[in-house]
Amino acid sequence: KCICCGEKKINLWTSLLNSKFTAVKCSNCNFIWMNPFTSKKGLSIYYDNYLKKRRLSNQKKMLLRDQQYNLDVEFILKSIKKGKFLDIGCNGGFFLDKLPKSFDKFGIDIDKEAINFGKKNFSFGKTLFLNSFLKKSFKNNFFDVILMRGTIEHLPDPEKYLKKISKILKKNGKFFIIATPNSNSLSAKIFKHH
């Protein structure tokens, strides 16, 4: 059934690697997810040393990502300019580094190498945490801003994350979900099976 709305009618959206992985689409809310979903162990294997294998080794990709970070920060600053900021799925803290000093920066990720990199290379490294977001304790009504940048599409149970976010985000806080694949985009239509 759909991991967002609970609808039982789902349809194949695409298959990958000779049908070893399939993406399905909910007939009700149009949410797309991998079915079966990658296990926690599988996610840990995939993200193990993700920073070195898929980011730092590709300078062109790092430059393009840096440019996108600048655009995303500009977008966020239209809504809020200071406060406690949590980046869920922060990798090595690169996005947080782009934010102005008016923010108290926090990040969490499951990639040990990425968190170690951030701790060594950024002044806010002491507030980067290696953990699953659901297992890490944060105070209620603590954050002014919470960001999921290219993250929500990787979660096996987004509802649990959203419930926790609603508790730790201040009453008038901002929650951003950005850099998430759009199944209606031209690139999704062209590169769907990749």
Side-chain angles (χ1 to χ4, degrees), residues 2 19 24 32 91 98-99 106 110 113 123 165-166 185-186:
C2 178
S19 298
V24 294
I32 297 172
N91 191 260
K98 293 290 182 181
L99 293 169
F106 298 79
I110 61 171
E113 295 300 321
S123 61
I165 287 166
S166 71
S185 70
L186 179 61

Side-chain angles (χ1 to χ4, degrees), residues 9-166:
K9 186 175 179 197
I10 57 174
N11 303 304
L12 179 68
W13 187 68
T14 192
S15 62
L16 312 163
L17 300 174
N18 297 323
S19 298
K20 288 182 182 174
F21 297 97
T22 58
V24 294
K25 185 174 184 175
C26 175
S27 62
N28 180 49
C29 71
N30 294 322
F31 186 78
I32 297 172
W33 72 100
M34 300 306 294
N35 188 17
F37 216 91
T38 308
S39 67
K40 287 179 184 177
K41 183 179 178 183
L43 282 174
S44 291
I45 292 168
Y46 179 79
Y47 285 108
D48 182 49
N49 209 8
Y50 182 88
L51 177 70
K52 194 181 269 184
K53 288 190 281 189
R54 295 186 184 92
R55 290 231 178 148
L56 296 177
S57 63
N58 187 336
Q59 289 303 311
K60 182 178 179 184
K61 189 173 186 177
M62 288 294 287
L63 179 63
L64 291 171
R65 193 173 294 258
D66 191 61
Q67 292 169 352
Q68 185 62 53
Y69 287 167
N70 289 331
L71 293 172
D72 293 344
V73 166
E74 186 179 315
F75 174 74
I76 289 169
L77 291 176
K78 289 178 182 178
S79 298
I80 189 162
K81 300 201 184 312
K82 64 180 181 174
K84 291 180 175 65
F85 192 110
L86 174 64
D87 183 355
I88 300 171
C90 69
N91 191 260
F94 300 100
F95 181 83
L96 289 168
D97 189 50
K98 293 290 182 181
L99 293 169
K101 292 181 179 176
S102 56
F103 287 101
D104 294 324
K105 304 167 188 181
F106 298 79
I108 189 162
D109 203 289
I110 61 171
D111 183 348
K112 182 179 179 180
E113 295 300 321
I115 291 298
N116 286 340
F117 178 91
K119 285 183 176 293
K120 290 176 189 171
N121 291 284
F122 298 117
S123 61
F124 52 87
K126 65 184 179 298
T127 55
L128 296 179
F129 304 104
L130 174 65
N131 209 333
S132 161
F133 172 70
L134 294 178
K135 291 181 180 177
K136 175 71 177 149
S137 293
F138 293 106
K139 292 179 185 175
N140 287 347
N141 304 305
F142 185 73
F143 292 104
D144 298 283
V145 186
I146 297 178
L147 170 72
M148 282 188 167
R149 188 184 187 292
T151 303
I152 198 165
E153 68 273 14
H154 297 279
L155 306 177
D157 193 347
E159 186 176 0
K160 284 183 182 176
Y161 283 74
L162 296 175
K163 284 180 179 177
K164 182 171 180 176
I165 287 166
S166 71

